[in-house]
Amino acid sequence: MKQAKNSDTRNWQTENQSAVRKLINLKSLAEHLGLSQTTVSRALNGFPEVNDKTRQLVQAAAQQFNYQPNVRAKRLATGRSMAIGHLVSVSKGHEIVNPIFADFIAGASARYIESGYDLLLSLVPDENELSAYTDLAARDAVDGVIIHTPKEDDKRLERLNELNLPFVVHGRSTKSNEVYNWVDVNNERAFFRATEFLIDLGHRSIALVNGMADLDFAIQRTKGYERALSKHYIDPVNDYILYGEMTEPYGYCSTIALLDGLIPPTAIIASSIPVAIGVRRGIEERGLKMGRDISILSHDDDLCYFRDENDVPVFTSTRSSVREAGYKSANLLIKTIEDPTGQREGILLEADLIIGTSTKPAKS
Amino acid sequence: MKQAKNSDTRNWQTENQSAVRKLINLKSLAEHLGLSQTTVSRALNGFPEVNDKTRQLVQAAAQQFNYQPNVRAKRLATGRSMAIGHLVSVSKGHEIVNPIFADFIAGASARYIESGYDLLLSLVPDENELSAYTDLAARDAVDGVIIHTPKEDDKRLERLNELNLPFVVHGRSTKSNEVYNWVDVNNERAFFRATEFLIDLGHRSIALVNGMADLDFAIQRTKGYERALSKHYIDPVNDYILYGEMTEPYGYCSTIALLDGLIPPTAIIASSIPVAIGVRRGIEERGLKMGRDISILSHDDDLCYFRDENDVPVFTSTRSSVREAGYKSANLLIKTIEDPTGQREGILLEADLIIGTSTKPAKS
DNA sequence: AAAAAAATTCAAAGCGCTTTGAATATAGAT
DNA sequence: ATCTATATTCAAAGCGCTTTGAATTTTTTT
């Protein structure tokens, strides 16, 4: 590996046909202008102690030569990475990359761009999860991280606090004792409202096709669901609560199982739109009609991929934009990075209850 | 902004409770060992001119102090970013972050980890797309990029070649004159086979619910479809080919339109599983049964989120793993980065035609 | 045992930027 | 016109690593 010397680089540039490729660094820009690097650097970075005329000249020259400071040098000099890590754990076997994630990223990314942060994505095999954070911190590769899909008492939070690496959790870890930033939907409330809504329609046998049992949000949703039942003196039925990875086939299989059970429910709450789509398939396969014979209510992360833009949406749902959560998480993280001594903060988003055609009063 | 001096950093570390956080750099490690930085660096990077005993000592010390070279310094010194950019364009209005993308990333990421590259994700508003690449190159932030969802003659390729930035296209740009790396599914062939399969089942009215009309893959799919029709002397019907963003609602609406048309098709080919799910919904809404009354065949990117693990899958499909494409793209890109003078390469993946329950012979 | 060759190690320069502390130019006060 | 005070500019050091070219040690050869 040769080190790219100043002159070499320039030669290579000249030899090369590419006219667009950057060929100037701070040093040559300063030389060209007959100024010191200090002044040029300050002019471009908006420092006040630069003469206005000088600044104009510098800016013009920078534009002319398409000068962009080399990020690597900048990062070394400032001691900041200007990058934020998203570590997604991928379990062996069923390696789901959640589509929710794509939308979340889109929201976060918008915020990062505003402040010039890069978004570093690492898919980490489950078993190395904790050490991945340690490595990231040791290599000093990011200024902060976002934690996805936390467990009820997630060990990652403690580790990150030890490492003193700023972070925000998308979701919460309600059993954790750590102090941390989070952005979460009020899942308990959302599912309480959803369940109560169905109860008000006369439903008494309501099933919940939930996410993985060890994830915090799934636990919250069950809580909300059970609170609504309990408020209306409905005995919870064990077989009515299902946990699993939120895929379309999972929704389908769960529904078949429910419908073939002893007392088929008259309403099903699904934990995501893909699951709800599977539920509908199951219902229809058993010759029933959604809405008429059995109601479906789903949580809707408002993913653009499934966005329902009808006047009256198909699924009645508790809707909360993941993209917005992404933006807010990024915002909170940047705040913490720029002032690490500040208070940690929690942001609770409320889901809207949106009425579609998939829910109807229970037949009496 | 203060520059973090060596001593300051160390003090901060000592003051701090965090025991895990890295507190050693090359210099102090070398001092501790009574060796020069050169030797320590070489020992750790596997250079041959280091005495075996010395290397052992160095490695042991590195382990003991959990020494990890600072990536920022390393990157500046080597002149390499050790990062690969994925620029995803996001169009205003309908800002779809394709779920295919998530799986692709998962595949690519696996390859990056093997070679120590970071994955940099930028969502770029459509209108800045070209300049985004120029900026990235000027800032010298990545060693290479992956291009997603290319148009038939995509201007980005030319730009990247001008910039001399190694890249791989996921998909192809069949009308482009540029020389470039790509990894693509043989869409033409896949859809030719799909269409012919339906024709062999006796179908004569076959609709195609395709992706966006300006995307290369959609064009290839139409070509394959039309070639099959033509081979069997079936006149193409204009209204049978639809283009749009591949969402579930799009599949649904298209199907309703098709079924309510003058001559409803007896088979529908969908461009993705979410579209196929929408198609099925449309069919069922019109009181028809998939398979029995009307056949559906879909392209299946084998996304984990919709993975169908039944013995007999629901949808007959042309299946090709996006994750695999991701891995192979990453591999090709790394090859090009490490030897930029090498030949550009194209990798064509063939889709499997997998028979499910959604296709049946046409009623005669 | 001396000379030549090979194996190790090292000091110092460099990557391209930011930032410090000092120097110079300009304006304001006397 | 002289002396501060203020506004600009600069040279040089530093970020933490890699790499060069030279120096030193060890081994081999004569």
Side-chain angles (χ1 to χ4, degrees):
Chain A
M1 276 195 274
K2 283 251 174 172
Q3 193 163 345
K5 296 266 172 86
N6 225 336
S7 51
D8 296 346
T9 313
R10 219 82 62 40
N11 277 343
W12 173 84
Q13 293 298 352
T14 330
E15 280 164 28
N16 208 289
Q17 73 288 2
S18 87
V20 192
R21 178 86 162 184
K22 163 198 173 186
L23 31 68
I24 201 169
N25 55 15
L26 184 61
K27 192 175 167 191
S28 17
L29 185 64
E31 275 166 9
H32 170 88
L33 283 159
L35 287 168
S36 72
Q37 293 192 36
T38 310
T39 304
V40 177
S41 169
R42 288 189 160 152
L44 293 172
N45 289 318
F47 280 60
E49 64 266 56
V50 172
N51 188 310
D52 264 354
K53 245 174 227 157
T54 313
R55 192 190 302 277
Q56 313 242 302
L57 287 174
V58 172
Q59 282 172 340
Q63 185 116 41
Q64 180 189 345
F65 294 112
N66 187 32
Y67 169 75
Q68 298 274 115
N70 178 303
V71 286
R72 283 187 248 101
K74 190 165 192 159
R75 286 168 183 183
L76 178 56
T78 56
R80 303 189 47 192
S81 296
M82 291 309 288
I84 286 168
H86 287 241
L87 300 209
V88 180
S89 24
V90 181
S91 13
K92 265 257 156 71
H94 54 150
E95 323 170 303
I96 289 251
V97 181
N98 200 318
I100 285 181
F101 182 69
D103 253 56
F104 182 88
I105 288 286
S109 175
R111 182 62 189 85
Y112 296 152
I113 287 171
E114 292 171 17
S115 296
Y117 284 89
D118 283 335
L119 159 31
L120 202 78
L121 185 57
S122 329
L123 304 194
V124 187
D126 239 354
E127 62 274 17
N128 321 341
E129 189 163 66
L130 287 181
S131 68
Y133 289 93
T134 311
D135 284 1
L136 212 57
R139 293 193 311 146
D140 218 349
V142 296
D143 298 323
V145 301
I146 299 240
I147 298 288
H148 294 275
T149 49
K151 309 250 163 82
E152 205 180 10
D153 177 12
D154 204 295
K155 308 136 297 172
R156 291 176 290 176
L157 313 194
E158 193 189 341
R159 172 65 61 100
L160 284 165
N161 274 333
E162 279 172 14
L163 290 168
N164 223 280
L165 192 61
F167 68 98
V168 171
V169 178
H170 177 214
R172 255 177 302 174
S173 192
T174 46
K175 284 265 171 70
S176 171
N177 294 316
E178 299 294 314
V179 176
Y180 62 98
N181 290 310
W182 51 266
V183 174
D184 197 10
V185 173
N186 194 341
N187 282 296
E188 202 274 346
R189 171 105 73 104
F191 274 56
F192 171 80
R193 291 182 64 201
T195 308
E196 188 163 55
F197 172 77
L198 291 170
I199 294 173
D200 289 346
L201 284 177
H203 293 280
R204 290 296 173 273
S205 306
I206 303 169
L208 172 60
V209 183
N210 209 337
M212 296 283 269
D214 57 344
L215 299 180
D216 195 86
F217 78 85
I219 294 167
Q220 297 308 315
R221 289 175 180 182
T222 296
K223 276 190 192 153
Y225 162 84
E226 287 177 338
R227 180 159 66 91
L229 293 187
S230 142
K231 176 177 171 192
H232 294 271
Y233 310 105
I234 300 174
D235 284 335
V237 175
N238 241 335
D239 296 351
Y240 279 174
I241 307 184
L242 300 166
Y243 296 98
E245 203 138 58
M246 304 192 290
T247 65
E248 196 270 351
Y250 162 64
Y252 169 76
C253 296
S254 305
T255 303
I256 293 299
L258 286 166
L259 296 181
D260 293 352
L262 276 180
I263 310 172
T266 64
I268 297 179
I269 303 179
S271 242
S272 80
I273 294 291
V275 171
I277 290 174
V279 170
R280 179 172 59 202
R281 174 156 66 98
I283 286 173
E284 279 162 359
E285 180 146 318
R286 281 294 177 266
L288 303 171
K289 195 150 160 38
M290 176 174 85
R292 192 192 61 193
D293 303 311
I294 181 164
S295 289
I296 303 183
L297 194 158
S298 178
H299 184 74
D300 180 358
D301 293 295
D302 203 17
L303 304 182
C304 49
Y305 209 63
F306 283 107
R307 184 121 56 203
D308 186 335
E309 273 156 349
N310 298 315
D311 301 339
V312 178
V314 175
F315 290 112
T316 297
S317 61
T318 53
R319 187 183 291 177
S320 174
S321 163
V322 169
R323 190 177 289 245
E324 183 193 344
Y327 187 92
K328 292 197 162 150
S329 301
N331 194 46
L332 183 51
L333 182 53
I334 289 173
K335 203 167 127 192
T336 302
I337 289 170
E338 297 186 343
D339 174 20
T341 63
Q343 279 266 274
R344 296 303 178 257
E345 201 173 316
I347 296 178
L348 194 55
L349 307 171
E350 292 297 335
D352 295 323
L353 181 54
I354 295 190
I355 310 305
T357 61
S358 66
T359 44
K360 293 282 159 61
K363 300 185 208 171
S364 47
Chain B
M1 274 195 276
K2 284 251 173 172
Q3 193 165 343
K5 296 265 172 82
N6 225 335
S7 50
D8 296 347
T9 312
R10 218 81 63 42
N11 277 345
W12 173 84
Q13 293 298 353
T14 329
E15 280 165 39
N16 207 289
Q17 74 289 1
S18 86
V20 193
R21 180 88 160 181
K22 163 198 172 184
L23 33 67
I24 201 168
N25 55 15
L26 184 61
K27 192 175 166 191
S28 18
L29 185 62
E31 274 166 9
H32 170 88
L33 283 159
L35 288 169
S36 71
Q37 293 193 37
T38 311
T39 303
V40 176
S41 168
R42 287 188 161 151
L44 293 172
N45 289 317
F47 282 60
E49 63 268 54
V50 172
N51 188 311
D52 264 353
K53 246 175 227 156
T54 313
R55 192 191 302 277
Q56 313 242 304
L57 287 174
V58 172
Q59 282 171 339
Q63 187 115 40
Q64 180 190 343
F65 295 111
N66 188 30
Y67 169 75
Q68 298 274 115
N70 178 303
V71 287
R72 284 187 247 102
K74 190 165 192 159
R75 285 168 184 182
L76 178 57
T78 56
R80 302 188 50 192
S81 296
M82 291 310 287
I84 287 169
H86 286 242
L87 301 210
V88 180
S89 25
V90 181
S91 13
K92 265 256 155 70
H94 54 148
E95 323 168 303
I96 289 251
V97 181
N98 200 318
I100 285 181
F101 182 68
D103 254 55
F104 182 88
I105 288 285
S109 175
R111 181 65 188 81
Y112 296 152
I113 286 170
E114 293 171 17
S115 297
Y117 284 89
D118 282 336
L119 160 31
L120 203 79
L121 186 56
S122 331
L123 303 195
V124 187
D126 240 355
E127 61 274 19
N128 319 341
E129 188 162 68
L130 286 182
S131 68
Y133 289 93
T134 312
D135 284 0
L136 212 58
R139 293 192 311 145
D140 219 348
V142 296
D143 298 323
V145 300
I146 299 242
I147 298 288
H148 293 274
T149 49
K151 309 249 163 83
E152 205 179 10
D153 178 12
D154 205 295
K155 310 136 296 173
R156 290 176 290 177
L157 313 194
E158 193 188 341
R159 172 64 62 100
L160 284 166
N161 275 333
E162 279 171 15
L163 290 168
N164 223 281
L165 192 59
F167 67 98
V168 170
V169 178
H170 177 212
R172 256 177 302 175
S173 193
T174 47
K175 283 265 172 69
S176 171
N177 295 315
E178 299 293 313
V179 176
Y180 63 97
N181 290 311
W182 52 265
V183 174
D184 196 11
V185 173
N186 194 340
N187 282 296
E188 202 274 346
R189 170 104 73 102
F191 274 55
F192 170 79
R193 289 181 65 200
T195 309
E196 188 164 53
F197 172 77
L198 291 169
I199 294 172
D200 289 345
L201 284 177
H203 294 280
R204 289 296 174 273
S205 307
I206 303 169
L208 173 61
V209 183
N210 209 338
M212 296 283 270
D214 57 344
L215 299 180
D216 195 86
F217 78 85
I219 295 168
Q220 297 309 314
R221 289 175 179 182
T222 296
K223 276 191 192 153
Y225 163 84
E226 286 178 337
R227 180 159 67 89
L229 293 186
S230 141
K231 176 177 169 192
H232 294 272
Y233 309 106
I234 300 174
D235 286 334
V237 177
N238 241 339
D239 297 349
Y240 280 175
I241 306 185
L242 301 167
Y243 295 98
E245 203 138 61
M246 304 192 289
T247 65
E248 196 270 352
Y250 162 64
Y252 169 77
C253 296
S254 305
T255 302
I256 295 298
L258 286 166
L259 295 181
D260 292 352
L262 277 179
I263 310 172
T266 64
I268 297 179
I269 304 179
S271 244
S272 80
I273 293 291
V275 171
I277 290 174
V279 170
R280 179 173 59 201
R281 173 155 67 102
I283 286 174
E284 281 164 358
E285 179 145 321
R286 282 294 178 268
L288 305 171
K289 192 150 161 40
M290 176 174 86
R292 192 192 63 193
D293 302 311
I294 181 165
S295 289
I296 303 182
L297 193 156
S298 177
H299 184 73
D300 179 358
D301 293 295
D302 202 15
L303 304 182
C304 48
Y305 211 63
F306 284 108
R307 186 120 55 201
D308 185 336
E309 273 157 347
N310 297 315
D311 300 339
V312 179
V314 175
F315 291 113
T316 297
S317 61
T318 53
R319 185 182 292 174
S320 173
S321 162
V322 168
R323 190 177 286 245
E324 183 192 342
Y327 187 90
K328 291 197 163 151
S329 301
N331 193 46
L332 182 52
L333 182 53
I334 289 174
K335 202 166 125 190
T336 302
I337 288 171
E338 297 187 343
D339 174 19
T341 62
Q343 279 267 276
R344 296 300 178 259
E345 201 173 314
I347 297 177
L348 194 56
L349 307 171
E350 292 297 336
D352 295 323
L353 181 53
I354 295 191
I355 310 306
T357 62
S358 67
T359 46
K360 292 283 159 60
K363 301 186 207 168
S364 49

